[in-house]
């Protein structure tokens, strides 16, 4: 299946995202990386640009763009800094998109305009200390108490845990092991019994804040329930189908950034009075890198096209995420190697792409989980 898009429109979006990244992100990436600073003021600017409500319709204050534009924006931002790309992806595809996809009209009117403008930063809580890939095994509970639910438990590895103004949280409302026993709730910062902390010191993606959420007799009104009781896990799985396109696009940008860094260096660096690009080992390596990036983009664009046309994207999203994340790791590793000793220093961006890329094979479903999803889907073809 070929994807369909307006070349002119995408070119304009690409140019806007590229200019923004080079002006507002590139000068500060190492400062933010070294200090592990989450540059919240940058995300307000991204909100002004319309990049924090990409998929949200205009009547809720969003940009009303589709997945082809979303992929393009993430690609351009992540080509400069994977951390910022990750936070843009998490805000758009998880918290905001969960509310857009499954909340009632009153909830959409209340939260989406603030999220689309980045007046509020969004978080999404599924993962726990003891439940990662086995997301259905979560332990956080929500017990009904009249017109309220009482939440107890914690969430781990949550993007924007500390700085987020609102979180969509999955909690158990039924028996453990029952996939229909999980519900989704909207929890605002400042709610009694709701707190955050434990900022994680990470290998890469250091400017994208990651921490924990804590619920201690957290009392929320039943109006904060998204959908019906027991819908939460099904909602999360459907959301992750699209979320995998986000991580694939993030991976694509990181791979492209690493490749362009290596390509530029190979055309400048001389050894034995020859540009190192002209050594077959280097030239062929770069040729393979360019081919894999193009292949990854085609997979991602195909998945985006299916999503824009409201078709099932479970298999294609998993394939795109699996392939793009794995080649991001491979290409960033090769970029460090092409730069040699310089690739191991922080004077060149190759080492940061190398560190950032690994998360893409883990977040929103590990590579093993993607293979499991793909295997399950292709078995249906037998």
């Amino acid at each position: 299946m070929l994807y369909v898009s307006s070349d002119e429109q995408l070119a304009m979006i690409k140019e806007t995202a590229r200019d923004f990244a080079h002006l507002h992100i590139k000068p500060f990436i190492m400062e933010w990386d070294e200090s592990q600073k989450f540059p919240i003021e940058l995300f307000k600017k991204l909100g002004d640009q319309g990049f924090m409500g990409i998929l949200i319709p205009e009547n809720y204050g969003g940009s009303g763009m589709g997945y082809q534009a979303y992929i393009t924006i993430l690609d351009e931002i992540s080509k400069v800094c994977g951390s910022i790309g990750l936070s843009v992806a998490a805000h758009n595809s998880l918290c905001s998109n969960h509310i857009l996809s499954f909340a009632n009209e009153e909830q959409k009117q209340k939260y989406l305009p603030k999220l689309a403008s980045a007046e509020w930063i969004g978080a999404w809580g599924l993962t726990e200390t003891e439940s990662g890939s086995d997301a259905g095994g979560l332990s956080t509970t929500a017990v009904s108490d009249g017109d309220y639910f009482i939440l107890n438990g914690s969430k781990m590895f949550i993007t924007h845990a500390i700085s987020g103004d609102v979180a969509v949280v999955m909690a158990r409302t039924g028996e453990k092991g029952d996939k229909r026993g999980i519900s989704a709730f909207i929890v605002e910062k400042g709610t009694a019994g709701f707190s955050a902390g434990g900022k994680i010191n990470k290998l890469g993606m250091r400017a994208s804040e990651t921490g924990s959420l804590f619920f201690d007799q957290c009392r929320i009104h039943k109006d904060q329930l998204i959908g019906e009781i027991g819908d939460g896990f099904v909602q999360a799985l459907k959301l992750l189908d699209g979320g995998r396109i986000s991580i694939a696009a993030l991976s694509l940008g990181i791979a492209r950034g690493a490749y362009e860094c290596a390509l530029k260096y190979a055309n400048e660096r001389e050894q034995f009075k020859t540009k190192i690009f002209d050594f077959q080992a280097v030239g062929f390596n770069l040729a393979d890198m360019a081919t894999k990036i193009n292949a990854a983009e085609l997979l991602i664009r195909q998945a985006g096209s299916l999503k824009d046309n409201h078709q099932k994207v479970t298999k294609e999203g998993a394939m795109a995420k699996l392939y793009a994340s794995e080649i991001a790791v491979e290409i960033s590793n090769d970029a460090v190697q092409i730069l040699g000793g310089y690739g191991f220093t922080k004077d060149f961006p190759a080492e940061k792409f190398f560190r950032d890329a690994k998360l893409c094979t883990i977040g929103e479903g590990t590579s093993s989980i993607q293979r499991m999803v793909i295997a399950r889907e292709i078995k249906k073809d037998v």
Side-chain angles (χ1 to χ4, degrees):
M1 175 181 178
L2 296 176
Y3 64 88
V4 180
S5 62
S6 164
D7 289 340
E8 183 178 349
Q9 183 183 38
L10 280 185
M12 290 175 60
I13 293 168
K14 183 183 183 76
E15 183 179 0
T16 301
R18 178 183 296 169
D19 290 347
F20 183 94
H22 280 266
L23 179 62
H24 297 289
I25 300 174
K26 191 173 183 177
F28 311 104
I29 55 175
M30 291 314 297
E31 174 191 336
W32 296 336
D33 185 78
E34 292 285 341
S35 63
Q36 203 167 214
K37 176 185 177 181
F38 177 63
I40 197 164
E41 66 284 353
L42 171 73
F43 291 91
K44 305 300 181 182
K45 294 177 182 177
L46 283 160
D48 292 339
Q49 200 69 46
F51 292 166
M52 297 295 275
I54 300 169
L55 302 172
I56 295 174
E58 292 181 31
N59 59 303
Y60 296 119
S63 300
M65 293 187 279
Y67 271 82
Q68 298 303 332
Y70 184 40
I71 292 163
T72 299
I73 292 165
L74 280 180
D75 183 10
E76 286 300 319
I77 291 174
S78 305
K79 188 170 70 173
V80 173
C81 181
S83 293
I84 305 305
L86 174 61
S87 278
V88 170
H91 178 92
N92 276 280
S93 74
L94 295 179
C95 180
S96 299
N97 205 27
H98 198 139
I99 294 172
L100 175 64
S101 300
F102 303 108
N104 60 41
E105 187 60 28
E106 184 179 349
Q107 291 168 333
K108 291 178 183 179
Q109 293 285 355
K110 180 177 181 180
Y111 293 108
L112 290 180
K114 292 181 178 180
L115 289 165
S117 67
E119 178 185 347
W120 281 13
I121 300 297
W124 193 74
L126 177 63
T127 302
E128 297 182 1
T129 305
E130 299 299 325
S131 62
S133 295
D134 180 18
L138 61 85
S139 298
T140 297
T141 59
V143 178
S144 180
D145 182 25
D147 287 339
Y148 293 84
F149 286 92
I150 310 298
L151 272 63
N152 283 287
S154 63
K155 298 292 177 179
M156 180 72 164
F157 296 125
I158 306 304
T159 305
H160 310 148
I162 300 165
S163 298
D165 299 283
V166 62
V168 173
V169 177
M170 268 55 66
R172 183 162 298 289
T173 48
E175 294 299 318
K176 197 164 187 176
D178 178 9
K179 299 297 175 65
R180 300 294 304 187
I182 295 172
S183 303
F185 302 88
I186 303 172
V187 188
E188 296 181 22
K189 179 183 280 188
T191 302
F194 176 41
S195 61
K199 188 173 185 178
I200 298 170
N201 191 11
K202 299 174 295 184
L203 168 70
M205 302 293 198
R206 291 172 57 81
S208 179
E209 177 187 274
T210 308
S212 299
L213 301 175
F214 304 101
F215 305 92
D216 183 8
Q217 296 296 113
C218 178
R219 188 178 180 86
I220 59 172
H221 196 270
K222 63 181 181 181
D223 289 345
Q224 299 302 100
L225 172 70
I226 300 178
E228 301 296 327
I229 293 176
D231 285 352
F233 190 69
V234 174
Q235 292 172 3
L237 291 182
K238 290 180 179 178
L239 201 71
L240 286 171
D241 279 352
R244 287 168 183 144
I245 299 174
S246 297
I247 301 301
L250 167 66
S251 304
L252 177 67
I254 292 172
R256 201 187 303 276
Y259 162 73
E260 291 182 2
C261 171
L263 180 65
K264 182 175 184 292
Y265 183 85
N267 276 292
E268 294 174 350
R269 176 70 165 172
E270 287 191 6
Q271 293 288 276
F272 310 104
K273 298 181 180 180
T274 303
K275 302 285 188 186
I276 66 169
F277 181 92
D278 293 324
F279 292 113
Q280 188 179 84
V282 176
F284 279 17
N285 195 351
L286 286 160
D288 286 342
M289 293 160 76
T291 302
K292 289 170 184 175
I293 287 169
N294 281 0
E297 181 168 11
L298 286 170
L299 281 171
I300 298 165
R301 295 289 182 184
Q302 179 193 37
S305 180
L306 289 171
K307 192 69 176 168
D308 280 337
N309 286 287
H310 309 290
Q311 297 181 48
K312 185 178 179 182
V313 73
T314 303
K315 179 180 70 175
E316 289 80 6
M319 285 179 168
K321 198 269 190 188
L322 172 64
Y323 185 74
S325 64
E326 292 289 338
I327 66 110
V329 172
E330 181 182 332
I331 287 171
S332 60
N333 179 63
D334 288 345
V336 171
Q337 195 68 31
I338 288 171
L339 269 69
Y342 292 110
F344 204 66
T345 73
K346 293 183 181 291
D347 295 328
F348 289 81
E351 64 85 28
K352 184 177 182 299
F353 289 122
F354 178 70
R355 289 185 289 111
D356 287 348
K358 187 57 191 172
L359 186 275
C360 298
T361 68
I362 300 170
E364 294 196 37
T366 65
S367 291
S368 294
I369 289 294
Q370 304 313 311
R371 291 185 172 96
M372 183 178 76
V373 170
I374 295 164
R376 186 175 62 222
E377 290 299 310
I378 62 176
K379 188 178 181 181
K380 297 173 184 177
D381 298 334
V382 176

